[in-house]
Amino acid sequence: MTMSAGWYLRRLSRMGPREVGGRAVDAVRRRRWRSARPARPGVTGARFTAVLPAGTIAAIPPDAAKRLIAEADRLMYGHAEYFGVVRDDLTDPDWWYDPKTGRRAPWGHAFDVPYRNEDAVGDIKQIWELSRHQYLTQLAAAYAITGNERYAERVAEHLRSWWAANAPLRGVHWVSGIELGIRLLSWVWIRRLLDGWPGAAGLFEGNPVALNQIWHHQRWLASFPSRGSSANNHVIAEAAGQLAAACAFGWFPSSARWRADALRSLERHLRGNTFDSGLNRELATEYHGLVLELGLAAVAEADAAGVPVPASVRLVLLRMTDALAAIVDSRLRPPRQGDADDGHGLVLDGAGTDRWSSLLATGDAVFGGLAWWPKVTGTDVRTPLLAALIGPTRPVTTRPASRPAHFADAGLTILRGPEGIWCRCDGGPHGFLSIAAHAHADALSVEVRHDGVDVLADPGTYCYHGQPEWRQYFRSTLGHNTLELDGGDQSVSGGPFLWLRQARSRVLAVDTSGEGVARWCAEHDGYQRSVHRRRVELTAASRELRVVDEVRGPSRDVRLAFHLGPAIAADLVGNRAVLTWIRDGEGRSAVLDLPGQLSWRAHRGETGPPLGWYSAGFGRKEPTTTLVGTGFADGAEGFTTILRFRG
């Protein structure tokens, strides 16, 4: 996907004067760096002291250690999977190769790499992911647990290979600040976990090549921070990686300044990226997880180095953790809302470790869980390691006495019923900052689960670059459980990470206080001259969910979509669909009575155009059933949908 001149003009229109000025300064600095002689770091007494406290490794639960070692052994044989693409070439990786398209990124100055152009570069996510070096943190953790030096030797071999192939400012891995920040965080943990290995010092502080790479990464981050309308999760990753490296690798004349600047940036942007309720302002749940992981890892480094952290940083992380505990379903799955790209801040665990259980376990260890928190039964490697570094953290604040159901600032409401019935209602802002980069056109959408199974599902994200038709579908209004008018989205897209006009939603009423019926009502103005209003009621006794849609304004063509989860089979006759699925070996069922004023059809795995798909993770999609009703809204009556769960 190559950006046109029109895209650049649309992108410029979403910037304020300060951001435009900052980007102009960046452009001048890039031009100067292109022609300047390579800078070299000065080093003052390089010595690594940010080690784990004694006994930390022994505190890792045996089953978590077993999963990690199994993952490390797969990696040692060269096997891994990234975004649905299986790789078996990781014993000696080509750092610039995209296995999905077979293309190899071009050589050249970093500022000249057309990384958005898949035809020239390949799938940039496939190329970047390996070079976050999070698989090397897994190998380093396997060494720390087992003492087997083959893991450490493989880590050293791959780091030396990467450093040799990716000289500072050359090539695709010096393009994006989030990649540099996460890579620095990985290097800090690799050095920490290899501390018992005799070659650790020679690989890092005793290695001029490593010192040059660490210094250039930090110099880049200090010079080209994400700005203005781009200051979302990227700037958190940049600040966290910079802070971690400046604390653990504080060996350079600029380290103290980098550390102070990164801490200020982290404090400012962590607050800016988070609602007071604790939910992430991007309203993309996976980025809530990414930012929380990055924030906890950054605090761990500061505490390990004895660097005072503002109380506001810990307070935001506490609120984020409480918010996560509040919104998960009975199987500890949070909403599938907005973009998701499987990005992690710090990876120390093997396959089968649940990300959300791990975060809640870390939150419990660091902040202390509350009585209403859901019980976490899984184990992980990361929690005891982070908890060993983070100092006692009990921010002075009032925490929720009971489980919150409505987050007014984020417009997110969770309705709960018996047998793990869980319904997420969306009446919040379209997204974060002027471009709302990771938002979907999903105002007033609902997401319904039964004991953790997606019944009415959010289809997910699937892709970012290179496949514009699929990118458009998965973030479209028709791609969500909401109502579309006249064949158009509620919000107007200007590109894959750019929204030019954003629907404004407001919640009109919420009642989750009683045991009998939970209610929610909201509306949005995304359709010119018409308002879409939706009411949702969940009745506990009858296990019935009722959704009523109204269109206030001129008559319009309507499409009302309900996307079923991949485990759900549907038998549609007229306007009634019988839904069946299996959970833990038992058959479950529900009846979905759809508005009779509309003509209903089931779609599954269609490609011209896309309809009837579910993406469980980035780069992966599978056919599923989408029920679409078409007709006409004349304002005389609403459209009523009733979902009844059977015994």
Side-chain angles (χ1 to χ4, degrees):
M1 181 179 298
T2 303
M3 298 305 172
S4 66
W7 178 87
Y8 283 103
L9 289 174
R10 293 192 296 272
R11 183 66 181 84
L12 184 64
S13 73
R14 310 305 293 172
M15 301 180 193
R18 185 173 181 179
E19 181 179 357
V20 172
R23 289 178 182 269
V25 170
D26 291 346
V28 171
R29 182 175 290 122
R30 286 188 174 94
R31 181 180 295 274
R32 190 169 66 245
W33 281 25
R34 277 188 182 93
S35 58
R37 295 181 61 183
R40 295 291 177 184
V43 181
T44 55
R47 186 166 153 266
F48 187 80
T49 59
V51 298
L52 289 168
T56 300
I57 298 298
I60 296 172
D63 58 333
K66 183 178 179 180
R67 289 194 303 273
L68 170 66
I69 293 166
E71 184 72 18
D73 288 340
R74 283 191 289 271
L75 292 167
M76 290 294 291
Y77 283 107
H79 302 310
E81 180 179 330
Y82 297 112
F83 311 134
V85 177
V86 176
R87 300 189 64 163
D88 58 6
D89 60 340
L90 299 191
T91 54
D92 183 18
D94 180 341
W95 304 107
W96 293 25
Y97 175 69
D98 165 29
K100 178 181 167 184
T101 64
R103 298 186 180 97
R104 196 169 185 274
W107 175 257
H109 199 286
F111 301 148
D112 298 326
V113 174
Y115 67 95
R116 293 189 180 98
N117 187 342
E118 188 169 295
D119 292 335
V121 175
D123 186 325
I124 193 62
K125 288 281 291 178
Q126 289 286 345
I127 297 173
W128 277 345
E129 188 67 17
L130 190 65
S131 289
R132 290 186 171 190
H133 289 168
Q134 293 175 327
Y135 78 100
L136 295 181
T137 60
Q138 293 173 305
L139 291 175
Y143 164 76
I145 292 170
T146 66
N148 189 328
E149 294 192 0
R150 70 189 185 103
Y151 299 120
E153 289 164 357
R154 176 63 59 82
V155 171
E157 176 187 337
H158 281 205
L159 283 179
R160 290 191 175 106
S161 168
W162 194 93
W163 291 332
N166 294 278
L169 299 178
R170 306 300 295 180
V172 72
H173 296 302
W174 291 88
V175 172
S176 173
I178 187 174
E179 304 305 316
L180 276 72
I182 290 177
R183 192 155 52 238
L184 279 175
L185 190 57
S186 295
W187 291 353
V188 168
W189 275 90
I190 289 167
R191 175 61 185 89
R192 173 176 291 125
L193 292 165
L194 294 185
D195 192 61
W197 180 52
L203 179 62
F204 280 92
E205 57 266 33
N207 181 359
V209 175
L211 294 173
N212 191 48
Q213 285 276 349
I214 293 168
W215 183 81
H216 272 284
H217 272 66
Q218 294 187 82
R219 177 176 179 251
W220 195 107
L221 290 173
S223 301
F224 302 108
S226 293
R227 298 180 183 276
S229 56
S230 295
N232 53 12
N233 64 85
H234 284 233
V235 78
I236 303 295
E238 293 161 10
Q242 181 81 301
L243 177 61
C247 288
F249 302 147
W251 307 325
F252 309 103
S254 298
S255 291
R257 174 172 56 84
W258 287 338
R259 185 165 55 241
D261 290 347
L263 189 55
R264 279 194 297 270
S265 177
L266 182 70
E267 192 275 337
R268 174 191 169 198
H269 290 292
L270 199 57
R271 282 189 294 108
N273 274 254
T274 311
F275 288 112
D276 288 344
S277 65
L279 291 179
N280 183 265
R281 286 184 182 270
E282 294 196 76
L283 294 174
T285 311
E286 280 210 7
Y287 288 109
H288 182 106
L290 173 65
V291 168
L292 182 53
E293 288 170 353
L294 291 166
L296 290 167
V299 170
E301 295 307 327
D303 285 358
V307 175
V309 175
S312 57
V313 170
R314 299 181 195 271
L315 179 58
V316 171
L317 297 176
L318 168 63
R319 287 175 173 163
M320 291 183 72
T321 310
D322 278 343
L324 176 62
I327 62 177
V328 294
D329 65 18
S330 60
R331 301 280 176 143
L332 301 186
R333 294 179 61 219
R336 284 166 51 89
Q337 184 178 16
D339 272 349
D341 71 349
D342 296 358
H344 291 258
L346 176 65
V347 179
L348 298 171
D349 281 279
T353 302
D354 182 75
R355 175 185 202 169
W356 309 106
S357 295
S358 172
L359 277 170
L360 290 175
T362 304
D364 184 35
V366 172
F367 303 116
L370 297 172
W372 55 262
W373 273 31
K375 185 177 180 180
V376 177
T377 56
T379 62
D380 69 318
V381 172
R382 188 176 60 191
T383 288
L385 302 189
L386 284 175
L389 296 177
I390 298 176
T393 303
R394 296 293 184 270
V396 179
T397 186
T398 301
R399 299 172 69 184
S402 59
R403 191 175 202 171
H406 176 58
F407 296 80
D409 48 11
L412 185 146
T413 304
I414 305 293
L415 309 181
R416 298 180 187 270
E419 300 180 11
I421 298 173
W422 175 99
C423 174
R424 188 258 303 175
C425 303
D426 176 15
H430 176 66
F432 183 46
L433 301 173
S434 62
I435 62 172
H438 291 297
H440 290 186
D442 58 356
L444 308 196
S445 64
V446 295
E447 186 183 1
V448 181
R449 299 176 190 160
H450 184 279
D451 194 22
V453 174
D454 290 314
V455 179
L456 302 182
D458 183 299
T461 299
Y462 178 55
C463 66
Y464 281 168
H465 299 285
Q467 298 171 279
E469 187 178 32
W470 290 101
R471 174 64 170 155
Q472 170 60 24
Y473 168 69
F474 275 99
R475 64 180 196 152
S476 69
T477 297
L478 185 63
H480 294 84
N481 298 317
T482 188
L483 182 144
E484 177 202 79
L485 295 183
D486 292 342
D489 287 338
Q490 311 151 339
S491 297
V492 177
S493 172
F497 298 98
L498 173 62
W499 294 93
L500 299 177
R501 182 174 58 79
Q502 304 175 16
R504 294 175 299 177
S505 302
R506 61 174 184 148
V507 176
L508 303 174
V510 174
D511 182 3
T512 59
S513 59
E515 295 293 325
V517 182
R519 296 181 174 88
W520 172 88
C521 180
E523 65 182 20
H524 78 81
D525 66 356
Y527 299 117
Q528 304 266 332
R529 301 176 295 115
S530 294
V531 171
H532 173 207
R533 178 174 291 184
R534 169 170 277 186
R535 302 195 310 273
V536 179
E537 294 182 355
L538 176 59
T539 303
S542 60
R543 293 178 298 169
E544 176 183 294
L545 185 79
R546 181 182 295 261
V547 180
V548 180
D549 291 292
E550 300 175 5
V551 178
R552 303 190 173 196
S555 299
R556 312 287 287 268
D557 290 325
V558 165
R559 283 198 292 184
L560 179 61
F562 291 105
H563 301 261
L564 307 182
I568 308 299
D571 182 13
L572 175 66
V573 178
N575 68 316
R576 169 170 283 194
V578 176
L579 315 181
T580 55
W581 65 97
I582 304 294
R583 180 57 154 166
D584 297 332
E586 295 184 5
R588 309 287 178 88
S589 66
V591 174
L592 185 62
D593 285 320
L594 300 158
Q597 311 99 299
L598 303 177
S599 176
W600 289 90
R601 182 183 168 195
H603 304 261
R604 185 176 181 86
E606 299 174 7
T607 57
L611 186 59
W613 295 91
Y614 179 94
S615 174
F618 197 84
R620 292 174 286 153
K621 68 180 188 300
E622 59 186 298
T624 190
T625 300
T626 296
L627 305 175
V628 178
T630 58
F632 204 61
D634 59 12
E637 58 180 329
F639 303 106
T640 300
T641 303
I642 301 175
L643 175 64
R644 297 184 182 90
F645 292 96
R646 293 170 166 176

